[in-house]
Amino acid sequence: MLKICSKPWTNAALSHWPLLAGAVAVIWSIHRALVQSITFDEANSFRTFVQAGRYELWTPFSNNHVLNSLGMRLFYCLFGMSHLSARGPALLGGVVYIAASYWICVLLTRECMLRLPLFVAFIYNPFVMDYLVVARGYGLALGFLTLAVALALRMLLQLEATERQLIGATACVSACAGLSLCANYSFAYANVVLVCALLVCVGLRRPRWRFRARLAF
């Protein structure tokens, strides 16, 4: 007699699906980067701040997303001009975003029935996927901001963390927030609010003023 499984959608059966969804999102982003036409803003940023020379990389201008411009300059020097080299930094930011989003989903729930749709909602939003492809600073900024959120969430969930671990994790969150800010200044509000909220939450967990002073500096 054949046995009919009463629970076919178990955590073990669904555990690999988020990883597959992430891999498909990365492949799809690379494909879009290769075939999608270069927009005016992408071309203008490349010709003005990347191709013109190393001094123009530091020009203070709203169209110059500094961290992304530096990445584009590096890819341009290594691989020459192509769609993929221009959009390489954005794709790297997309990989960071997808990995950090999966990490957040793992921290939030152990149920794969909830983890899979949550992860899909993170990475398959069409507006978000545009940011992960276009040769601008949005992909890197979003990736590092999401990584900072994941690190902050992991730290807050660790109830037995030592003061040294809390300070080290806060420094990592601050570094990711700083990189996100350098990638795109429009993310300044989100990064500043995240770091300030984290400092308040961690400071409330330890009443010692000496620890709070070390945390602030």
Side-chain angles (χ1 to χ4, degrees):
M1 182 180 295
L2 296 176
K3 292 184 178 181
I4 300 177
C5 181
S6 59
K7 293 183 178 180
W9 300 106
T10 61
N11 280 351
L14 290 174
S15 60
H16 65 282
W17 284 104
L19 299 178
L20 180 60
V24 171
V26 172
I27 294 172
W28 177 246
S29 298
I30 294 174
H31 172 73
R32 287 188 59 186
L34 288 171
V35 302
Q36 186 170 292
S37 299
I38 295 290
T39 64
F40 173 79
D41 284 341
E42 292 177 286
N44 189 33
S45 297
F46 180 82
R47 295 192 62 183
T48 305
F49 305 109
V50 178
Q51 196 176 33
R54 63 181 183 273
Y55 298 109
E56 284 74 9
L57 286 171
W58 309 104
T59 303
F61 193 69
S62 59
N63 201 36
N64 183 20
H65 301 167
V66 178
L67 187 60
N68 182 71
S69 299
L70 289 171
M72 290 173 65
R73 177 70 179 178
L74 176 62
F75 276 78
Y76 173 65
C77 293
L78 292 176
F79 307 109
M81 180 55 195
S82 69
H83 282 61
L84 196 58
S85 62
R87 290 168 172 162
L91 292 175
L92 290 178
V95 172
V96 173
Y97 171 77
I98 292 171
S101 298
Y102 179 72
W103 193 9
I104 291 175
C105 295
V106 171
L107 292 173
L108 290 177
T109 178
R110 296 181 179 178
E111 296 293 331
C112 288
M113 287 291 292
L114 297 176
R115 185 183 299 170
L116 178 60
L118 181 62
F119 183 55
V120 169
F122 265 115
I123 65 174
Y124 283 100
N125 186 314
F127 300 104
V128 173
M129 293 202 77
D130 280 340
Y131 283 151
L132 307 185
V133 176
V134 66
R136 307 281 284 153
Y138 304 109
L140 284 171
L142 186 60
F144 283 117
L145 174 61
T146 310
L147 181 58
V149 172
L151 289 169
L153 181 61
R154 179 178 179 271
M155 181 177 61
L156 294 176
L157 292 176
Q158 286 182 338
L159 300 179
E160 303 297 329
T162 64
E163 291 186 357
R164 184 175 182 179
Q165 290 175 334
L166 290 174
I167 292 175
T170 304
C172 292
V173 172
S174 300
C176 290
L179 290 172
S180 175
L181 177 63
C182 292
N184 193 303
Y185 293 135
S186 61
F187 282 69
Y189 298 106
N191 287 289
V192 170
V193 169
L194 172 63
V195 173
C196 291
L198 180 64
L199 291 175
V200 172
C201 292
V202 175
L204 292 176
R205 292 174 61 175
R206 295 291 191 276
R208 297 174 59 247
W209 286 103
R210 182 177 297 179
F211 167 75
R212 293 179 178 178
R214 291 177 58 193
L215 187 68
F217 291 101

